[in-house]
Amino acid sequence: MLPAFYQENQIEAGCDEAGRGCYAGPVFAAAVILPINFKHPLLNDSKQVGAKQRKILREVIESNAIAWSVASIDAEEIDRINILKASFKAMHMAIDQLKVKPEFLLIDGNRFPTYKKIPHLCIVKGDGKYASIAAASILAKTYRDAYMEKIHAQYPQYGWNSNKGYGTLEHRLAIEANGLCQHHRRSFNISPTQIEMPFN
């Protein structure tokens, strides 16, 4: 089982994002502060956990965390400021919304702009190494997946209920056939013609 903390003498929040590489939809980020003794046998990097297990873990995390928060940046803003800045902004927003102020941040990845002078540590593949980052990855992933399933009802031709906005063959063929919609990230140059669809 993953250790809950990198260090134990400060209030520590784990942070991660989901959806950075998608063609469509927002990027989501989460921040989670876990109890110092938190352990769960299923908890791991969200990419290593099945959908049913992620739903179970989401309930466990939300019920047991000292504090947790989820934030998102939509496709329009991603196009305006770029996906890297949008990912960092979503993480900052999630940290800002925590009901308990963290004293130290564990960040999944290799870089992160300092948030309000709170010290942080970037850990590559940290969502598979520390429970707090793994918990954040689970929340970011499950909230994003739920959002993509919701907007799938508006644009079912893209198959977002299954591909979640990633650049699968199904999704790319649907873009070729139907053009782009309001939820697509135009800055990703995912369609050479950038065909517009009516916004209904």
Side-chain angles (χ1 to χ4, degrees), residues 20 27 44 62 66-67 73 85 88 93 106 123 130 162 188-189 198:
R20 183 182 293 188
V27 61
N44 202 344
E62 291 180 352
I66 293 170
I73 300 293
K85 290 180 180 177
F88 291 152
M93 289 169 60
L106 275 188
I123 302 175
Y130 290 97
S162 58
F188 278 41
N189 295 319

Coordinates of all heavy atoms in Angstrom, one line a residue, residues 20 27 44 62 66-67 73 85 88 93 106 123 130 162 188-189 198:
R20 N -4.9 16.3 -19.5 CA -4.0 17.2 -20.1 C -3.9 16.9 -21.6 O -3.8 17.8 -22.4 CB -2.6 17.2 -19.4 CG -1.7 18.2 -20.0 CD -0.3 18.1 -19.4 NE -0.3 18.5 -18.0 CZ 0.8 18.7 -17.3 NH1 2.0 18.5 -17.8 NH2 0.8 19.1 -16.0
V27 N -9.5 20.4 -18.5 CA -8.5 19.7 -17.7 C -9.0 19.9 -16.3 O -9.4 20.9 -15.9 CB -7.1 20.3 -17.9 CG1 -7.0 21.8 -17.5 CG2 -6.1 19.5 -17.1
N44 N -4.1 3.6 -6.0 CA -3.0 3.7 -6.8 C -3.2 4.8 -7.9 O -4.3 5.4 -7.9 CB -2.8 2.3 -7.5 CG -1.3 2.1 -8.0 OD1 -0.6 3.1 -8.1 ND2 -1.0 0.9 -8.3
E62 N -13.4 10.8 -0.4 CA -14.2 11.9 0.0 C -14.7 11.8 1.5 O -14.9 12.7 2.2 CB -15.4 12.1 -0.9 CG -15.0 12.6 -2.3 CD -16.1 12.7 -3.3 OE1 -17.2 12.3 -3.0 OE2 -15.9 13.2 -4.4
I66 N -9.1 14.6 5.2 CA -9.2 15.8 6.0 C -9.8 16.9 5.2 O -10.6 17.7 5.7 CB -7.8 16.2 6.6 CG1 -7.4 15.1 7.6 CG2 -7.9 17.5 7.3 CD1 -5.9 15.2 8.0
A67 N -9.3 17.0 4.0 CA -9.9 18.0 3.0 C -9.6 17.6 1.6 O -8.6 16.9 1.4 CB -9.2 19.4 3.3
I73 N -10.5 23.7 -15.8 CA -10.3 24.8 -16.7 C -10.9 24.3 -18.1 O -10.5 23.2 -18.5 CB -8.8 25.2 -16.9 CG1 -8.3 25.7 -15.6 CG2 -8.7 26.3 -18.0 CD1 -8.8 26.9 -15.0
K85 N -0.2 25.8 -18.7 CA -0.6 26.9 -17.8 C -2.0 26.6 -17.2 O -2.3 26.8 -16.1 CB -0.6 28.2 -18.5 CG 0.8 28.8 -18.8 CD 0.7 30.1 -19.5 CE 2.1 30.6 -19.8 NZ 2.1 31.9 -20.5
F88 N -1.7 23.9 -14.5 CA -1.2 24.5 -13.3 C -2.2 25.4 -12.6 O -2.4 25.4 -11.4 CB 0.1 25.4 -13.5 CG 1.3 24.6 -13.9 CD1 2.3 25.2 -14.8 CD2 1.5 23.3 -13.5 CE1 3.4 24.5 -15.1 CE2 2.6 22.6 -13.8 CZ 3.6 23.2 -14.7
M93 N -6.2 26.3 -8.3 CA -7.6 26.5 -7.9 C -8.0 25.5 -6.9 O -8.7 25.8 -5.9 CB -8.5 26.5 -9.1 CG -8.3 27.8 -10.0 SD -9.2 27.6 -11.6 CE -10.9 27.3 -11.1
L106 N 2.7 18.0 -2.4 CA 3.3 17.0 -3.2 C 2.6 17.0 -4.5 O 1.4 16.8 -4.7 CB 3.0 15.6 -2.5 CG 3.9 15.1 -1.4 CD1 3.6 13.6 -1.1 CD2 5.4 15.2 -1.8
I123 N 7.2 15.2 -8.0 CA 7.6 13.8 -8.0 C 7.1 13.1 -9.3 O 5.9 13.1 -9.5 CB 7.0 13.0 -6.8 CG1 7.5 13.6 -5.5 CG2 7.4 11.5 -6.9 CD1 7.0 13.0 -4.3
Y130 N 2.8 7.9 -3.7 CA 2.2 8.5 -2.5 C 0.7 8.5 -2.5 O 0.1 8.9 -3.5 CB 2.8 9.9 -2.2 CG 4.3 9.8 -1.9 CD1 5.2 10.1 -2.8 CD2 4.7 9.5 -0.6 CE1 6.6 10.0 -2.5 CE2 6.0 9.4 -0.2 CZ 7.0 9.7 -1.2 OH 8.3 9.6 -0.9
S162 N -17.0 6.9 -23.9 CA -16.0 5.8 -23.9 C -14.6 6.4 -24.0 O -13.7 6.0 -23.3 CB -16.3 4.8 -25.0 OG -16.3 5.4 -26.3
F188 N -4.9 22.5 -30.1 CA -4.2 21.3 -30.3 C -4.0 20.9 -31.8 O -3.4 19.8 -32.1 CB -5.0 20.2 -29.6 CG -4.7 20.1 -28.1 CD1 -4.6 21.3 -27.3 CD2 -4.6 18.9 -27.4 CE1 -4.3 21.2 -26.0 CE2 -4.3 18.8 -26.1 CZ -4.2 20.0 -25.3
N189 N -4.6 21.7 -32.7 CA -4.5 21.4 -34.1 C -4.9 20.0 -34.4 O -4.2 19.2 -35.1 CB -3.0 21.6 -34.6 CG -2.6 23.1 -34.5 OD1 -3.4 24.0 -34.8 ND2 -1.4 23.3 -34.1
P198 N -22.3 24.0 -35.5 CA -23.2 25.0 -34.8 C -23.3 24.7 -33.3 O -23.3 23.5 -32.9 CB -24.6 24.7 -35.5 CG -24.3 24.0 -36.8 CD -23.0 23.2 -36.5

